[in-house]
């Protein structure tokens, strides 16, 4: 389980996350929804310690860290989650396989041959078998994003964090990535997904967290969210329609 307690984050005088208390269940997909600027990305980045909140705590797999105190456990905690960003951030000078095994061999000291074997399986899983010796520039955006997902999986993280993983893709490629994430959800991976695609959110979410102005407005089952009569939730869902 991943739990955030009393998490607060500000940029100068602007409170971006305001006393966040949420739980992300294991082997489930939690979708974080909310208008632009609500704090969704900052929340994900706080889990992965790319952003450091001023206060609050995070508990993940029996490891607890208070953000305001010393961050001696931060490296261990950071490696428990893997982030897939909006724009794939592969190393351009490395082959696809080198990109995938970089984390396992460098950060986790895994055996290189074994990491390559696992990397091949992961490439097959994301529909890119045989691409290991190519360079990122030889791949389409959608293919590069699939490599980013394979790279995240190679770290065997407790949680995979997706930050609007399709926002830089055209619709056909978007659908391919969404199907891949849906497949991972069906394999009971523990995932947290920020998305603007409501159809996808409906299909993939076990749980929804709705953020607005840095506050949790809704935290519950997906079905309950999409049928919710709360005015702010209704307004948001209506605004997301064409
Ligand atoms: P969302 O992902 O919901 O669109 P973000 O978490 O990206 O929201 O941003 C929340 C708020 O924090 C926004 O108002 C944004 O402008 C602000 N913000 C995010 N990152 C920074 C930063 N590095 N410096 C200053 N303000 C930031």
């Amino acid at each position: 389980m991943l739990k955030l307690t009393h998490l607060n984050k500000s940029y100068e005088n602007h409170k971006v996350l305001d006393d966040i208390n949420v739980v992300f269940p294991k082997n489930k997909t939690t979708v974080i929804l909310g208008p632009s600027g609500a704090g969704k990305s900052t929340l994900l980045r706080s889990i992965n310690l790319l952003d450091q909140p001023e206060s609050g705590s995070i508990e993940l797999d029996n490891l607890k860290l208070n953000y305001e105190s010393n961050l001696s456990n931060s490296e261990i905690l950071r490696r428990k989650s893997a982030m897939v960003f909006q724009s794939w951030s592969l190393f351009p000078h490395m082959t696809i396989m080198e990109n995938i095994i970089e984390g396992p061999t460098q950060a986790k000291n895994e055996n290189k041959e074994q990491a390559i074997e696992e990397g091949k399986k992961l490439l097959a899983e994301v529909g890119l078998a045989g691409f290991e010796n190519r360079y990122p520039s030889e791949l389409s955006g959608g293919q590069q994003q699939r490599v980013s997902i394979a790279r995240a999986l190679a770290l065997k993280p407790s949680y995979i964090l997706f930050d609007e993983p399709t926002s830089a893709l055209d619709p056909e490629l978007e659908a391919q990535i969404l199907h891949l994430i849906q497949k991972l959800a069906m394999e009971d991976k523990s995932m947290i997904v920020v998305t603007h695609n409501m159809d996808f959110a409906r299909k993939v979410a076990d749980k929804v967290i709705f953020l607005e102005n840095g506050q949790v407005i809704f935290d519950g089952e997906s079905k309950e969210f999409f049928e919710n009569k709360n005015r702010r939730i209704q307004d948001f869902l209506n605004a997301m329609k064409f």
Side-chain angles (χ1 to χ4, degrees):
M1 187 193 62
L2 167 52
K3 184 176 179 186
L4 301 174
T5 310
H6 296 307
L7 189 148
N8 289 285
K9 170 78 182 167
S10 303
Y11 285 110
E12 292 168 13
N13 291 331
H14 179 196
K15 193 139 203 182
V16 176
L17 295 174
D18 186 2
D19 195 25
I20 302 287
N21 296 282
V22 284
V23 166
F24 300 95
K26 199 94 186 150
N27 306 118
K28 301 277 183 208
T29 299
T30 303
V31 172
I32 305 178
L33 299 173
S36 187
K40 306 180 294 296
S41 194
T42 308
L43 189 61
L44 275 195
R45 293 169 63 85
S46 301
I47 294 169
N48 200 230
L49 299 168
L50 290 168
D51 278 341
Q52 191 184 340
E54 307 71 83
S55 63
S57 65
I58 174 167
E59 274 176 80
L60 176 48
D61 296 347
N62 302 323
L63 197 69
K64 184 168 179 178
L65 183 144
N66 289 314
Y67 287 110
E68 63 267 59
S69 62
N70 90 55
L71 291 177
S72 54
N73 285 336
S74 62
E75 261 315 306
I76 306 172
L77 201 101
R78 180 175 287 131
R79 286 186 205 148
K80 284 185 173 289
S81 60
M83 188 101 142
V84 175
F85 297 93
Q86 291 181 15
S87 53
W88 38 95
S89 44
L90 302 175
F91 296 116
H93 59 288
M94 290 185 184
T95 65
I96 297 310
M97 184 55 77
E98 285 166 350
N99 267 282
I100 290 175
I101 66 169
E102 163 82 5
T105 55
Q106 299 300 317
K108 293 200 156 178
N109 283 328
E110 275 182 26
N111 169 285
K112 189 174 172 189
E113 279 67 41
Q114 199 182 332
I116 289 175
E117 274 316 299
E118 286 182 17
K120 283 183 185 169
K121 284 186 204 148
L122 288 172
L123 275 178
E125 201 176 318
V126 301
L128 292 175
F131 277 63
E132 50 265 37
N133 294 323
R134 300 214 201 170
Y135 283 87
S137 60
E138 298 171 311
L139 272 59
S140 71
Q143 288 171 331
Q144 290 191 53
Q145 190 62 308
R146 282 192 263 159
V147 174
S148 305
I149 294 172
R151 186 176 58 170
L153 291 168
L155 291 165
K156 302 185 191 76
S158 286
Y159 282 78
I160 311 175
L161 318 176
F162 292 92
D163 190 1
E164 292 186 38
T166 62
S167 58
L169 297 174
D170 63 38
E172 191 189 341
L173 298 178
E174 174 178 29
Q176 291 174 6
I177 297 294
L178 296 182
H179 279 125
L180 176 56
I181 298 173
Q182 197 176 9
K183 187 177 95 171
L184 297 174
M186 277 151 51
E187 291 168 8
D188 290 339
K189 293 263 188 310
S190 307
M191 305 200 290
I192 308 174
V193 184
V194 172
T195 181
H196 282 128
N197 187 319
M198 291 302 119
D199 289 337
F200 171 64
R202 264 177 214 266
K203 279 189 188 144
V204 84
D206 296 299
K207 173 174 178 166
V208 170
I209 290 169
F210 178 65
L211 279 185
E212 196 175 53
N213 298 324
Q215 294 181 331
V216 175
I217 305 295
F218 177 91
D219 174 352
E221 284 194 16
S222 170
K223 190 170 181 292
E224 215 183 292
F225 177 79
F226 287 103
E227 292 171 3
N228 207 285
K229 297 284 175 261
N230 175 298
R231 184 66 192 266
R232 281 147 97 183
I233 294 174
Q234 285 283 316
D235 286 349
F236 171 76
L237 289 173
N238 285 331
M240 298 304 278
K241 289 180 186 154
F242 288 107

